[in-house]
Amino acid sequence: MAVHARSMRPITALLLLGTLCVTSSGCAAVGERAAAAEAAATQFEAALRGGDVRRACEALAPGTREELEQDGPCGTALGTLNLTPAAAPAVRVDAYGSQARVVFPRDTVFLAAYPDGWKVTAAGCVPRPGRPHRCELKGD
């Protein structure tokens, strides 16, 4: 039995090393998703700040854009919203699977992952204690 226990040590070490590698890769993937979501939210905010409604509309998730266009063409409807685009960098980024939240000093942007990248599902969001955020721009 002692021989069997000794032969298990290398296997145990390899299993632990493999688990560590998988765990590290998972963390890197979360970090990469968070960075990509932050970049998408920052580009959306920059488009709003610069008045580039075409680019801002392209950054929207399909359901959000569809909801917005009930009030007219995307660019026109976007201009009617009370959005305060962030000029400062994000202070927090949370990515959970295919959903992300990017918090700027005066705005929170929610995003979803699509095959062609992260898209904005809600923006102009402010937290409400014990309740969901209130968002100026949102889709269904």
Side-chain angles (χ1 to χ4, degrees), residues 62-83:
T64 303
R65 186 170 181 157
E66 185 178 297
E67 184 81 18
L68 181 63
E69 288 180 334
Q70 289 182 6
D71 296 329
C74 182
T76 304
L78 199 56
T80 65
L81 300 177
N82 188 23
L83 296 173

Side-chain angles (χ1 to χ4, degrees), residues 30-123:
V30 170
E32 290 169 8
R33 285 195 316 270
E38 180 179 7
T42 300
Q43 290 169 3
F44 173 73
E45 297 279 317
L48 289 176
R49 250 189 346 275
D52 189 347
V53 293
R54 180 193 57 78
R55 202 172 79 188
C57 287
E58 288 174 355
L60 298 177
T64 303
R65 186 170 181 157
E66 185 178 297
E67 184 81 18
L68 181 63
E69 288 180 334
Q70 289 182 6
D71 296 329
C74 182
T76 304
L78 199 56
T80 65
L81 300 177
N82 188 23
L83 296 173
T84 307
V91 295
R92 181 178 178 153
V93 180
D94 301 306
Y96 303 101
S98 63
Q99 303 294 311
R101 175 181 68 168
V102 180
V103 180
F104 295 98
R106 296 187 311 178
D107 188 15
T108 298
V109 178
F110 291 91
L111 303 102
Y114 285 84
D116 59 339
W118 289 94
K119 299 289 184 179
V120 174
T121 57

